[in-house]
Amino acid sequence: MTSLSAPKGSIARAARVLEVLSLAHDGADLTEIVAQSKFSKTTTFRVLAALREIDYVFQDPATRIYRLGSKLAELSRNSERINVSALAERGMNRLAEMSEDTVFLSVPEGAVSICVNRKVGAFPIRTLTLDKGDRRPLGVGAGSLALYCSLSDEQRAAVCRVNKSWLADYGVTDENLTVEYTFFKENGYARNRGGVVNGMSAIAVPVMTASGRLVAALAIGAINERMEASRINDLILPGLKREARRLAGRFNALEKEQNK
């Protein structure tokens, strides 16, 4: 990472911390940011705390590594982050047309799941439990559960610790998450059976690259009557898995290109 001289002023300090993180492609811990920004530990921590409050920066709960947040990516087309929503656009349209239900795309950010896109199908009763930009603790909702269940044991434990009170707001306990994790491992998808909005259910699958990177989760939600087992197994789940493979394939190609 390139060494930078320290600027003065609160805005300039925030900009320098963001610049340091932009040069750290795998993120950086507090010690690294202190070294590169030339700020004191106290100043660096204060700047990071302020940036986290506005979602310009987030911290991985397991590794304590800081990375640039989704809000910052929205402000700049020059961000190095890949626009997951754009890459998934056609696949989500296919799923919405095929199922006639609502399709959601969520991405992980630390201990949080963020809905980055939504497509509404033709069925007249719509499932609008999430909108673009909505944030939930990992483990709440089908897409968020698919992300949570795709993490390592250590990462899941860290998420539960960090999100304990937030999960409690949704009535979600460690026992609930253990049950859903077991279901996910046995069936290959995550489920939400009216846990967020009564009468509405959803299932989701993760999008994983060949290198094991968790990119996103694709979910389809509908009224309970349209989420019976036969429809899930014959139509919805195959469609989700097909589009998840396609999206993962696009990321695999991008990773190969970047590694040349």
Side-chain angles (χ1 to χ4, degrees):
M1 192 185 299
T2 303
S3 181
L4 304 166
S5 58
K8 297 180 180 180
S10 58
I11 293 177
R13 284 194 291 267
R16 179 49 49 85
V17 168
L18 292 173
E19 187 175 357
V20 168
L21 286 174
S22 75
L23 297 173
H25 301 296
D26 296 320
D29 61 18
L30 180 60
T31 301
E32 293 175 287
I33 299 171
V34 168
Q36 294 300 322
S37 66
K38 306 296 185 182
F39 299 145
S40 68
K41 186 175 181 179
T42 299
T43 295
T44 305
F45 186 81
R46 186 167 61 246
V47 172
L48 286 167
L51 291 171
R52 288 178 65 186
E53 285 184 3
I54 57 175
D55 300 321
Y56 279 16
V57 165
F58 73 97
Q59 186 179 35
D60 188 291
T63 64
R64 314 303 293 172
I65 293 294
Y66 292 92
R67 293 183 174 87
L68 297 179
S70 60
K71 289 288 186 180
L72 191 64
E74 294 174 6
L75 299 179
S76 175
R77 292 295 182 182
N78 295 324
S79 170
E80 291 183 359
R81 286 183 168 222
I82 297 169
N83 192 335
V84 182
S85 179
L87 290 177
E89 184 84 8
R90 287 185 293 178
M92 292 181 70
N93 285 331
R94 285 191 292 265
L95 286 172
E97 183 177 357
M98 175 271 295
S99 67
E100 297 189 331
D101 294 315
T102 307
V103 183
F104 304 93
L105 179 70
S106 298
V107 298
E109 188 174 278
V112 178
S113 169
I114 303 173
C115 178
V116 295
N117 204 347
R118 183 182 73 184
K119 298 296 178 183
V120 178
F123 191 73
I125 303 178
R126 298 179 174 183
T127 303
L128 306 178
T129 53
L130 274 177
D131 200 357
K132 186 176 180 180
D134 285 351
R135 304 167 69 87
R136 286 195 182 143
L138 287 178
V140 174
S144 184
L145 259 174
L147 296 173
Y148 170 84
C149 292
S150 301
L151 300 175
S152 67
D153 292 346
E154 180 185 8
Q155 289 172 320
R156 292 198 312 279
V159 164
C160 289
R161 184 177 65 253
V162 170
N163 286 341
K164 185 176 181 179
S165 60
W166 198 5
L167 289 167
D169 290 341
Y170 288 91
V172 175
T173 66
D174 289 350
E175 291 74 18
N176 298 146
L177 292 175
T178 298
V179 169
E180 296 306 328
Y181 175 73
T182 300
F183 179 89
F184 175 84
K185 298 300 288 186
E186 292 176 350
N187 296 276
Y189 68 93
R191 63 185 178 179
N192 170 35
R193 298 172 296 174
V196 178
V197 177
N198 288 334
M200 301 290 183
S201 297
I203 69 167
V205 298
V207 179
M208 303 279 292
T209 68
S211 65
R213 183 163 66 96
L214 178 60
V215 175
L218 281 167
I220 290 180
I223 57 174
N224 290 345
E225 291 78 3
R226 289 174 62 78
M227 298 297 284
E228 68 274 12
S230 60
R231 189 167 185 265
I232 288 174
N233 293 326
D234 296 340
L235 179 70
I236 298 176
L237 186 57
L240 281 172
K241 288 185 173 180
R242 181 170 58 251
E243 294 302 337
R245 286 194 299 269
R246 286 174 172 169
L247 184 54
R250 300 189 72 177
F251 278 94
N252 290 336
L254 287 169
E255 286 184 353
K256 287 181 180 179
E257 185 67 25
Q258 291 169 357
N259 293 330
K260 283 184 179 179

